[in-house]
């Protein structure tokens, strides 16, 4: 993993190789020592990966070795962490999950006492002293205990927020990715009156996200369309993102779901600040729909932490990503797939998702072009000239985005245009230019 432990969403890697028990213990200890608190109260929750129990034990030991008091909350979606921090006034929370990755990976992410993920600066400070803290002892030893009823606490928060929502008569399918939502998601929809068919709710430690969940919608789409259900929702392994399919099995992505939510909240006078934060990957059709609705849009780098940062800076409440992260700060400071699904149903107000009209999605083409050095894109004048030409030709009708991958030797070329043919043609021309200059 190198010296740089933290990425855009905590520490993540191959469990037992990069994300080891030793690393977890040292991180648990370091985060307590750098909290400045004598005996901080820490919540630890996890998803269903087989390595989760090992890392949970090691993290708890690390936290307790520095004097922290640890509550083990068991298997819960990531967005439950900030809600439980608020409810029980924890000083910090730790989530053990690798989100939508397969079981062999795992990760560790921290939330502060305000319910928000730790800042880049705080993570750097923890990293800076990581090695020196790893082997030290402590005059004060904390305690570790199992915290019961955490799932009920999370469900109560959802019931309170959506108390006016009746799902009587709704027939839906949920794909819980054999992950952290496998118990709570079917339960809340049934409590609110829906008839629920639940897929991928038998986690065995190794089947999380495996051909299921928000990264693999085929089984959900087939189940909904062939079974005559009203719609389907798919969550990822840690439950912080959501995608949907309509009764025909057609994908409804995060952009479309966010557009529905934005207009619904605006109409109800609940869109705080009158704006929405999205990433550079958000479809041009979303921007057009929001302009028509009089809703301001701000664009950020890819990643839910950047969306959240933009919301906090502007005092807004709603943002999200095409991949299905939807953040509604009126409920919690994190993407929450289950809450987002309920918000979508609230926005639909009994209408058919198939007949949604919040936005018209433009055809989009994304090509990953292998390059020698992704950093060379910054100085590739020929590429920038081509991007400028194509962007000018699409002005007001579509857009072009060419950016380096953050982790691989790739340049990502994305084009949106009014027709599939124009989209493909523009993308092909730009891919050829990138290959000529950087391939």
């Amino acid at each position: 993993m190198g010296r740089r432990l933290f990425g855009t969403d905590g520490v993540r890697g191959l469990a037992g190789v990069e994300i080891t028990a030793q690393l977890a213990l040292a991180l648990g200890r370091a985060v307590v020592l750098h909290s400045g608190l004598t005996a901080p109260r820490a919540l630890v929750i996890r998803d269903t990966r087989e390595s989760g129990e090992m890392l949970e034990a090691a993290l708890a030991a690390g936290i307790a070795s520095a004097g922290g008091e640890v509550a083990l909350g068991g298997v819960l979606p990531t967005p439950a962490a900030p809600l439980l921090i608020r409810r029980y006034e924890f000083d910090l929370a730790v989530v053990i999950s690798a989100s939508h990755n397969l079981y062999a990976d795992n990760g560790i992410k921290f939330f502060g006492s305000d319910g928000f993920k730790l800042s880049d600066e705080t993570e750097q400070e923890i990293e800076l002293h990581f090695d020196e803290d790893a082997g030290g002892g402590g005059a004060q030893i904390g305690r570790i205990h199992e915290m019961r009823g955490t799932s009920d606490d999370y469900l109560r928060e959802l019931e309170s927020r959506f108390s006016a929502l009746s799902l009587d008569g709704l027939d839906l399918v949920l794909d819980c990715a054999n992950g952290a939502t496998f118990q709570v998601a079917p339960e809340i929809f049934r409590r609110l009156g829906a008839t629920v068919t639940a897929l991928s709710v038998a986690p065995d430690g190794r089947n999380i996200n495996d051909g299921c969940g928000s990264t693999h919608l085929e089984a959900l789409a087939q189940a909904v369309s062939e079974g005559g259900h009203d719609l389907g929702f798919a969550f990822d392994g840690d439950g912080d993102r959501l995608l949907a399919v309509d009764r025909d099995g057609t994908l409804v992505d995060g952009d479309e779901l966010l557009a529905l939510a934005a207009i619904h909240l605006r109409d109800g006078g609940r869109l705080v600040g009158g704006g929405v934060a999205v990433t550079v990957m958000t479809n041009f059709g979303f921007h057009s729909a929001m302009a028509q609705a009089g809703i301001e849009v701000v664009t950020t780098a890819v990643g839910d932490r950047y969306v959240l940062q933009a919301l906090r800076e502007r005092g807004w409440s709603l943002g999200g990503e095409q991949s299905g992260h939807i953040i509604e700060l009126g409920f919690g400071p994190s993407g929450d797939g289950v809450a987002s699904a309920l918000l979508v149903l609230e926005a639909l107000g009994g209408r058919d998702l198939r007949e949604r009209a919040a936005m018209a999605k433009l055809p989009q083409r994304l090509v990953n072009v292998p390059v020698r050095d992704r950093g060379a894109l910054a100085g590739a004048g020929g590429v920038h000239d081509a991007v400028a030409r194509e962007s000018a030709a699409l002005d007001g009708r579509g857009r072009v985005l060419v950016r380096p991958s953050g982790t691989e030797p790739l340049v990502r070329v994305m084009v949106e245009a009014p027709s599939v043919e124009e989209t493909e043609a523009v993308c092909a021309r730009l891919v050829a230019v990138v290959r000529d200059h950087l391939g």
Side-chain angles (χ1 to χ4, degrees):
M1 290 174 62
R3 262 319 303 156
R4 172 73 179 158
L5 292 175
F6 288 94
T8 55
D9 195 25
V11 182
R12 191 179 296 185
L14 191 60
V17 178
E18 296 168 312
I19 307 298
T20 63
Q22 293 89 334
L23 176 91
L25 189 147
L27 270 176
R29 178 171 172 76
V31 77
V32 171
L33 292 176
H34 290 285
S35 72
L37 300 173
T38 304
R41 298 174 59 247
L43 170 71
V44 178
I45 64 174
R46 58 184 172 86
D47 67 19
T48 57
R49 289 160 218 273
E50 65 179 11
S51 59
E53 295 171 354
M54 170 191 77
L55 295 172
E56 174 189 69
L59 264 164
I63 292 168
S65 76
E69 301 290 325
V70 183
L72 302 178
V75 172
L76 280 176
T78 289
L83 298 176
L84 292 172
I85 287 173
R86 182 173 64 196
R87 187 178 187 92
Y88 292 104
E89 298 183 339
F90 284 105
D91 296 302
L92 64 110
V94 192
V95 178
I96 302 166
S97 175
S99 189
H100 56 279
N101 292 25
L102 292 175
Y103 85 93
D105 289 336
N106 216 328
I108 300 166
K109 47 193 169 186
F110 296 98
F111 290 78
S113 60
D114 58 0
F116 291 95
K117 292 176 184 175
L118 298 186
S119 67
D120 289 343
E121 293 75 22
T122 302
E123 289 179 344
Q124 287 167 6
E125 184 67 20
I126 292 169
E127 216 173 283
L128 190 64
H129 297 88
F130 175 77
D131 290 328
E132 69 184 57
D133 295 334
Q140 180 170 330
I141 304 298
R143 302 293 296 273
I144 302 169
H145 70 274
E146 184 178 341
M147 185 177 180
R148 300 186 184 277
T150 52
S151 292
D152 289 332
D153 288 331
Y154 177 57
L155 289 166
R156 272 194 293 271
E157 294 283 350
L158 289 167
E159 280 189 293
S160 175
R161 164 61 180 84
F162 295 98
S163 58
L165 179 63
S166 171
L167 301 182
D168 290 345
L170 183 70
D171 180 356
L172 57 84
V173 182
L174 303 178
D175 185 336
C176 298
N178 291 311
T181 64
F182 83 100
Q183 290 178 311
V184 292
E187 176 65 20
I188 187 61
F189 286 94
R190 289 182 178 125
R191 285 189 188 184
L192 294 175
T195 298
V196 177
T197 300
L199 309 178
S200 303
V201 287
D204 63 8
R206 293 191 166 203
N207 59 3
I208 186 170
N209 300 314
D210 187 8
C212 56
S214 63
T215 52
H216 300 277
L217 291 171
E218 301 82 12
L220 176 66
Q222 183 177 357
V224 172
S225 61
E226 293 183 0
H229 303 282
D230 294 322
L231 77 165
F233 291 120
F235 311 107
D236 65 338
D238 74 331
D240 68 353
R241 68 169 72 179
L242 165 81
L243 291 177
V245 298
D246 66 19
R247 64 169 62 243
D248 297 326
T250 303
L251 165 67
V252 185
D253 67 19
D255 291 345
E256 297 171 280
L257 299 176
L258 186 62
L260 273 170
I263 291 172
H264 165 66
L265 293 174
R266 190 277 315 268
D267 290 348
R270 293 187 290 148
L271 185 63
V272 179
V276 183
V278 297
T279 78
V280 293
M281 296 303 294
T282 294
N283 193 275
F284 185 81
F286 179 90
H287 293 269
S288 299
M290 294 301 102
Q292 189 173 349
I295 295 173
E296 188 179 350
V297 178
V298 65
T299 302
T300 77
V302 175
D304 62 318
R305 68 158 50 213
Y306 302 112
V307 172
L308 183 56
Q309 180 181 331
L311 294 178
R312 297 181 74 183
E313 288 172 353
R314 287 163 176 78
W316 295 356
S317 63
L318 185 68
E321 296 188 276
Q322 192 178 77
S323 60
H325 281 119
I326 297 176
I327 300 171
E328 203 274 287
L329 290 179
F331 181 67
S334 170
D336 187 326
V338 178
S340 297
L342 293 170
L343 179 59
V344 166
L345 293 173
E346 184 183 90
L348 285 171
R351 293 178 293 139
D352 192 332
L353 183 61
R354 181 175 52 182
E355 297 161 5
R356 64 199 181 279
M359 64 172 275
K361 188 163 64 172
L362 264 65
Q364 183 184 87
R365 178 80 166 119
L366 173 65
V367 176
N368 292 319
V369 185
V371 296
R372 295 183 303 273
D373 175 11
R374 68 179 188 270
L377 176 63
V383 175
H384 296 298
D385 290 344
V387 168
R389 279 196 309 274
E390 301 289 2
S391 295
L394 284 172
D395 188 31
R397 303 183 305 116
R399 68 186 183 118
V400 167
L401 178 67
V402 177
R403 67 185 184 93
S405 164
T407 57
E408 302 171 273
L410 299 171
V411 167
R412 307 193 196 281
V413 177
M414 190 197 73
V415 176
E416 292 167 347
S419 71
V420 172
E421 294 77 14
E422 187 175 8
T423 301
E424 294 288 348
V426 173
C427 192
R429 289 196 294 269
L430 286 170
V431 166
V433 171
V434 171
R435 284 183 177 142
D436 286 346
H437 286 79
L438 302 172

